[in-house]
Amino acid sequence: MTVATTAGALPDLVRECLPGPGGCRLVTVDGWSGSGKSVLAEDLGRTVDAPVLSIEELYPGWEGLAAAIPLARAWIAEPLFHGRPARWWPWIWERDVRSADPRTQPCVPVVVLEGCGAGAAELRPFTSLAVRVDCPHEERERRLRARADWPGYAPHRARFLAQERRYFAGAPDPDVTVRT
């Protein structure tokens, strides 16, 4: 069952949720493009003193939403759940290749993973709290067009929206939903 809540209530929910056996609470912040998930995740990370990782670093290009989910599980969610550092190889969007240099995130009490796909069923066994950010379609589109990176995103918008639709058609319900 999904519970509607406010952004201000999230820190207490994070503190109350159970960590994995390795001591980390993985909090996922999922939502459609333009819903406000990055802003919410950054605010939450500052409030609970947690690093914020982006699943978008794992997308292997503009067609990569679905392909990023098993990478997030293997490289981030499972290791943190078991108390090991996360280690991933970010996608270099400008060169359209995977980096040869990994990034790492030590296992800490709370890690926030944000981005479309972060609340996927494959990640849920390793997630302490799954948050979905919700916002009306018209507002999401307005926000997207107002972003500084819109000129680079615009040519790919329709293609990425089709991936989002496929993903959300089968995505599990989150633990909580925040409307922005």
Side-chain angles (χ1 to χ4, degrees), residues 35-142:
S35 64
K37 62 193 169 299
S38 298
V39 171
L40 182 101
E42 289 295 333
D43 288 347
L44 178 62
R46 275 191 299 279
T47 303
V48 299
D49 194 27
V52 178
L53 312 180
S54 176
I55 196 170
E56 292 176 10
E57 285 195 355
L58 306 182
Y59 295 171
W62 287 105
E63 294 291 335
L65 191 157
I69 293 168
L71 298 177
R73 177 182 172 145
W75 292 349
I76 296 172
E78 281 190 68
L80 292 173
F81 183 78
H82 294 292
R84 299 187 309 268
R87 185 174 180 198
W88 68 98
W89 291 259
W91 189 256
I92 303 171
W93 290 87
E94 300 80 22
R95 296 196 347 239
D96 207 27
V97 297
R98 180 92 41 216
S99 174
D101 299 319
R103 291 191 183 170
T104 59
Q105 171 57 57
C107 184
V108 294
V110 179
V111 173
V112 178
L113 177 64
E114 71 87 18
C116 187
E122 277 188 65
L123 302 178
R124 292 304 291 275
F126 311 100
T127 302
S128 295
L129 182 67
V131 178
R132 184 171 302 157
V133 182
D134 192 21
C135 177
H137 173 77
E138 298 78 22
E139 178 63 13
R140 292 193 316 262
E141 292 300 319
R142 186 197 64 72

